[in-house]
Amino acid sequence: MTNNPIITTEKLIKKFPMGKGEFLALKGIDLEFNEGEFAGLIGPSGSGKTTLLNIIGSLDTPSEGEAMVLGQPVSQLTARQAAQLRKEKLGFIFQSYNLLAVHTVFENVEFPLLLLKYTPSQRQKMVMDALEWVGLTDKVNSKPPALSGGECQRVAIARAMVKKPMVVLADEPTANLDAANSHNILKTMEMLNKELKTTFLFATHDEKVISYLHRKIFLIDGKIDRDELIK
Amino acid sequence: MFLALKLAYRNLVGAGLRTWLNVIVLSFSYVVIIWLKGLMVGWDHQARFDMEKWQIAKGQYWHKLYDQYDPFSLTESHAPVPQRFLPFITEGAMVPVLVVQASLYPHGRMQPILLKGIPKNQNLLKLPVAALDTITDAIPAIIGTNMARSAKLGKGDRVVLRWRDKSGTFDAAEVVVTDVFATNVPAIDGGQVWIDLEKLRQMMLLPNEATYLSFGQGIKEIPEVNEFVLKTQQELTSEIDVMIKTKTTGQSVFYIILLLLAMLAIFDTQVLSIFRRQKEIGTYVALGYTRQQVVMLFTIEGAMHAVLAAAVAAVYGIPFFIWQSHAGFTIPMDSSDYGIAMAQTMYPVFTVGLIVSTTLIVLITTAVVSYCPSRRIAQMNPTEALRGKIQ
């Protein structure tokens, strides 16, 4: 990890309409993440961790305040610029894997590279490298419905990592996995964090994930309760 | 765009049976629309071809008072054949026809008819005039199958014919039917009896006169010669154009119903896709697509049904079209009853233009129908789509 902040949030507020009023999901979040961090937003349901992750991922915009992601202000990005940021610099891992069911493992992992217009030979090499990181080179032609939950999440990790993004955002990545698979996945991500210096940012309330984190940011009701750095 | 095409293809093929059901329904639309249009074109070609062969040749000169829909004008609408035409008639490149009113008395009842005189040695028109060159005590006559049916006459039957000559004197004689011809051109069949031109001229006291003249290839077209006015082939077949146009308009209702059925299936599939594939839509956005690009992807996916359908339609449609253009389509009822130039067996004509235009119409319609429900994606919140929340 270096002392090079790549994500900062300043007085971040997010409101959602609720009936006739509003629901305040984030109440002025100030945070800073450095390159190569392995950090997590921890809190119960409704604490605002997924909302914060979505804003950092430029999938959503703040109601007030600003989030700077890799030097770009999320609230001021056009839809095209936000898409460009996600396409080039960010990787996503979801709780329910979100794999494209009709595509093979290879095609799922290849998808971000197709968007980045790599040549077929480059894609072939990069996909196989990514599948090797997650130990799925024998499943290249399988389709997601034929894979176990753990294998699906490993494909999702390969898809997020294949383009070597600067930041990977993982929303409850182990929620649908058993303990053995969870540890397996987390070890893989920890290894990728060390080897590729990719910043990992989790939203979780799973103890297994929490035990792997190097930085724990506890959120309660849209506010930071405490921010712990594990030596 | 290429990526969207590639993805759309993968998604479509991956969707399996749902895709193929839509594709098969759409391919039926292609084949039926092209077949019906081909039938229309074939009918048009055939009607023109038959009219040219049996009735009008390359064009006609009409007496200026002749009106084929007004039998009362017939007493005035004839004149001596212009000198200028005589060499062509001798060569066989021009055929004079004299048309008069008369009455036929088949089986003791009176039937008003048009009595037409045509040279018994002409070869320009397909009428079997050789049968008029028969030595008999009655006047040899030929009639069409329609006329034969309505007058209950057959080959060899004798019947009394009454007419009024130029001076207004009534006369009568017996005619013998020497041939009954089958034609698709009703204008030379129903209510008509054909006899030798010279005989009719004698009967009517109208030597060298004609009502109209049909001419073949190589005759210079002059707008007016003496009392005869030029009627080009285009003018004479204009009624077919109107008839085909009317039929085509009627048929387009059928095309629209067929297309609507296919489009309903596509629309339904698109709505279902957008409803069921919320997570996938969110994933595309998370991986770097804009919502507009996802709209385009879903539109292409829908429109690609039409491309696959064209391929499927080609597989069974092309052999079917080839077979149809040779074997033709036989109308189950007797087409001569319709009173229009329609053959019993019609041979569809499939042109490249027809196939390309139909394919384009189906493609564009499918693309529009696919785009309409896909527009909803542009209003979706990607974070909720990612969670699969119905929006």
Side-chain angles (χ1 to χ4, degrees), chain B residues 103-274:
Chain B
S103 300
L104 206 64
Y105 291 85
H107 310 289
R109 58 187 171 86
M110 190 184 80
Q111 185 176 353
I113 57 152
L114 283 180
L115 187 60
K116 291 186 171 179
I118 187 166
K120 61 185 176 191
N121 57 350
Q122 68 85 28
N123 290 313
L124 186 65
L125 301 173
K126 208 186 162 186
L127 282 161
V129 287
L132 298 176
D133 197 8
T134 309
I135 298 166
T136 164
D137 53 341
I139 303 166
I142 54 171
I143 56 173
T145 46
N146 247 352
M147 175 65 189
R149 195 180 310 115
S150 68
K152 294 188 174 62
L153 290 172
K155 196 171 169 182
D157 285 351
R158 287 170 177 257
V159 61
V160 173
L161 174 76
R162 194 175 75 134
W163 70 95
R164 203 161 74 153
D165 67 19
K166 183 178 83 169
S167 321
T169 309
F170 281 102
D171 203 349
E174 200 173 44
V175 295
V176 58
V177 178
T178 50
D179 200 358
V180 176
F181 58 86
T183 176
N184 304 320
V185 185
I188 59 161
D189 184 351
Q192 296 178 36
V193 173
W194 294 80
I195 63 170
D196 176 39
L197 176 64
E198 282 313 315
K199 181 68 186 169
L200 184 58
R201 282 170 171 170
Q202 283 168 23
M203 287 157 59
M204 294 300 295
L205 308 175
L206 296 170
N208 300 320
E209 296 212 8
T211 306
Y212 67 81
L213 300 101
S214 298
F215 59 84
Q217 201 101 43
I219 305 285
K220 193 180 170 193
E221 296 182 358
I222 303 163
E224 200 169 336
V225 180
N226 298 353
E227 292 176 70
F228 288 87
V229 184
L230 175 70
K231 296 281 175 186
T232 62
Q233 198 182 50
Q234 202 181 355
E235 281 176 80
L236 293 166
T237 55
S238 61
E239 279 177 23
I240 292 181
D241 294 332
V242 175
M243 183 185 73
I244 298 285
K245 203 173 164 186
T246 313
K247 288 277 161 202
T248 307
T249 311
Q251 272 201 345
S252 43
V253 175
F254 189 61
Y255 306 152
I256 290 167
I257 292 171
L258 262 175
L259 264 181
L260 272 178
L261 280 174
M263 291 307 125
L264 192 71
I266 302 285
F267 187 87
D268 205 33
T269 304
Q270 287 293 92
V271 172
L272 188 71
S273 281
I274 292 157

Side-chain angles (χ1 to χ4, degrees), chain A residues 97-109 131 136 138-153 155-156, chain B residues 7 9-17 20:
Chain A
Y97 332 125
N98 288 41
L99 298 177
L100 305 172
V102 297
H103 296 214
T104 62
V105 165
F106 186 92
E107 288 163 351
N108 265 286
V109 179
L131 288 174
L136 277 177
D138 57 331
K139 300 277 183 184
V140 280
N141 294 318
S142 305
K143 288 191 175 174
L147 302 176
S148 68
E151 285 171 329
C152 280
Q153 197 58 298
V155 176
Chain B
L7 277 176
Y9 176 75
R10 279 184 189 172
N11 287 340
L12 264 191
V13 173
L17 193 62
W20 293 113

